[in-house]
Amino acid sequence: MGRPPCCDKVGVKKGPWTPEEDIILVSYIQEHGPGNWRSVPTHTGLMRCSKSCRLRWTNYLRPGIKRGNFTDHEEKMIIHLQALLGNRWAAIASYLPQRTDNDIKNYWNTHLKKKLRKLHTGHDGQSHDEFSTDNNSHQISKGQWERRLQTDIHMAKQALCEALSLDKPIDHHNHNLGESKPSITTTTCFHTSCDHQDHDHKNTTKSHQPLSYASNAENIARLLESWMKNSPKSGQTNSNPTRDLLQNPVAYQPNNNNTCTNTTYSSSSEGAQKSLSADETANLTPERATSTLCFQDESKPHNTKIEEPVQAPLTLLEKWLLDDGSAQGHEDLINMSLEDSAALF
DNA sequence: AAGGACGACAACCGCTGTTCA
DNA sequence: CTGAACAGCGGTTGTCGTCCT
């Protein structure tokens, strides 16, 4: 009955990951793709819990992750999305495909919370901080839940309508939906979202680099750099894929690798997609649809169920999601003042 | 220069919903 | 149908680096 245990707690290593472990993990995922985390520790010999492996991959090693400084644009996105969605970091992260929920959460807790508190204190001299859950949550909770309920109903209706209109032509921006393998579009997608996100931040050089696996190679190169510093000789134990990767990262771009299919790698950015419901996906703007659809995860079967709707019932968000001229809506959202977003609650 | 305070971030913990044997 | 394991998520903690006194 049931499944075999995930991992026995005895002898499981904790704490920071070493570069060696990272490389082992990446090598393994290179060959087998993400997913089936349970088998990862046994197959790799890593003394880590499968959960830890998954987290390490999703939060740090997977392709397409942008690390380091958040741009103003991203910052504004986070602030407004947090106002709309609350602390639903995964949902927020789905709007920032290159950032992980953990990253966003950390950034919020360390930077933005403070920044906003300061800003609010500066405004009227007293700190009524809607972002510290203590003060305001009681006041807003009722209305918030009512709105959420309304949205749930609305989204459910919408999903039903869409489900019933089967002959309805597929939305122009969903042209990728039927494709089983997103393939090289991953790169394109990243470019698209990059270009959009960094519209006004052209001096953020890294974000314009080709992403797909190259981005991961960037990660690996980084970790290897420190690894080499620490223990140069241990590199000899690497598996071939890793060495190949290090010597020729381009060879590990999805198209060039037989064992690692396009799907495997483009799918590995599950975090980017995971929180989007079918509805959301269906209503995405072209660029967002492209950038998210190519993150379909093979390890995570197509999610046909209706996930929880975005609990941002607000016309602005709906407009953003639904409008043909979504770019404008997007900008509206970004340009919305903090007071506006706070006023939504 | 020392050490305490603080900030940043990676990783862990615990809970919940889903999947599978 | 049941229960164990998986996967995902948000909150919290631990550790390391930097700043300040």
Side-chain angles (χ1 to χ4, degrees), chain A residues 19 23 218-232 246:
Chain A
I23 287 167
E218 217 176 278
N219 291 341
I220 304 309
R222 187 185 57 229
L223 65 90
L224 191 83
E225 213 173 296
S226 58
W227 182 38
M228 289 301 191
K229 279 181 202 161
N230 294 336
S231 61
L246 297 167

Side-chain angles (χ1 to χ4, degrees), chain A residues 35-144:
Chain A
N36 196 9
W37 294 108
R38 200 183 126 234
S39 67
V40 173
T42 45
H43 285 134
T44 58
L46 286 169
M47 305 298 283
R48 295 279 182 174
C49 171
S50 57
K51 195 173 176 179
S52 182
C53 294
R54 183 175 57 83
L55 279 173
R56 182 64 180 169
W57 172 258
T58 51
N59 286 334
Y60 197 83
L61 298 172
R62 74 175 161 86
I65 289 181
K66 185 168 131 192
R67 307 194 64 80
N69 296 339
F70 281 70
T71 64
D72 287 348
H73 183 91
E74 288 173 320
E75 204 171 276
K76 284 176 185 170
M77 285 279 284
I78 293 167
I79 290 167
H80 290 304
L81 287 167
Q82 203 280 342
L84 291 167
L85 304 171
N87 293 359
R88 299 174 65 227
W89 306 115
I92 293 171
S94 70
Y95 292 92
L96 296 162
Q98 297 176 303
R99 301 290 188 180
T100 67
D101 51 355
N102 206 34
D103 226 9
I104 292 171
K105 182 172 61 183
N106 280 332
Y107 190 67
W108 173 265
N109 286 328
T110 55
H111 293 87
L112 297 179
K113 234 180 180 176
K114 243 176 286 172
K115 204 170 180 176
L116 289 168
R117 190 178 295 135
K118 198 174 171 184
L119 195 133
H120 266 258
T121 313
H123 267 213
D124 52 9
Q126 50 174 279
S127 165
H128 43 82
D129 177 15
E130 82 265 33
F131 303 98
S132 68
T133 49
D134 304 340
N135 288 348
N136 225 344
S137 60
H138 299 307
Q139 297 166 15
I140 66 172
S141 58
K142 191 185 170 193
Q144 202 172 350

Side-chain angles (χ1 to χ4, degrees), chain A residues 109-259:
Chain A
N109 286 328
T110 55
H111 293 87
L112 297 179
K113 234 180 180 176
K114 243 176 286 172
K115 204 170 180 176
L116 289 168
R117 190 178 295 135
K118 198 174 171 184
L119 195 133
H120 266 258
T121 313
H123 267 213
D124 52 9
Q126 50 174 279
S127 165
H128 43 82
D129 177 15
E130 82 265 33
F131 303 98
S132 68
T133 49
D134 304 340
N135 288 348
N136 225 344
S137 60
H138 299 307
Q139 297 166 15
I140 66 172
S141 58
K142 191 185 170 193
Q144 202 172 350
W145 278 107
E146 283 171 354
R147 276 204 197 93
R148 288 183 178 186
L149 192 61
Q150 282 182 339
T151 319
D152 286 353
I153 295 165
H154 172 76
M155 297 292 271
K157 276 183 187 171
Q158 205 177 327
L160 187 62
C161 287
E162 285 173 8
L164 290 173
S165 55
L166 293 171
D167 52 342
K168 181 178 158 186
I170 292 173
D171 207 335
H172 65 282
H173 48 260
N174 276 345
H175 57 279
N176 277 344
L177 197 55
E179 295 174 9
S180 57
K181 294 193 177 184
S183 74
I184 193 68
T185 51
T186 305
T187 310
T188 318
C189 300
F190 276 125
H191 271 303
T192 314
S193 82
C194 269
D195 289 346
H196 180 78
Q197 287 190 4
D198 291 325
H199 233 262
D200 45 357
H201 301 280
K202 300 202 187 306
N203 48 357
T204 55
T205 52
K206 279 199 171 184
S207 58
H208 287 279
Q209 292 173 1
L211 287 163
S212 85
Y213 203 82
S215 170
N216 199 26
E218 217 176 278
N219 291 341
I220 304 309
R222 187 185 57 229
L223 65 90
L224 191 83
E225 213 173 296
S226 58
W227 182 38
M228 289 301 191
K229 279 181 202 161
N230 294 336
S231 61
K233 61 185 174 185
S234 56
Q236 292 168 357
T237 61
N238 288 342
S239 62
N240 284 335
T242 310
R243 276 204 301 274
D244 293 347
L245 164 69
L246 297 167
Q247 285 159 9
N248 183 16
V250 179
Y252 279 82
Q253 298 230 354
N255 272 358
N256 298 339
N257 193 319
N258 288 335
T259 54

Side-chain angles (χ1 to χ4, degrees), chain A residues 274-291:
Chain A
K274 59 192 170 193
S275 296
L276 287 178
S277 69
D279 281 337
E280 289 171 290
T281 310
N283 289 310
L284 288 172
T285 64
E287 61 188 15
R288 283 187 39 69
T290 324
S291 68

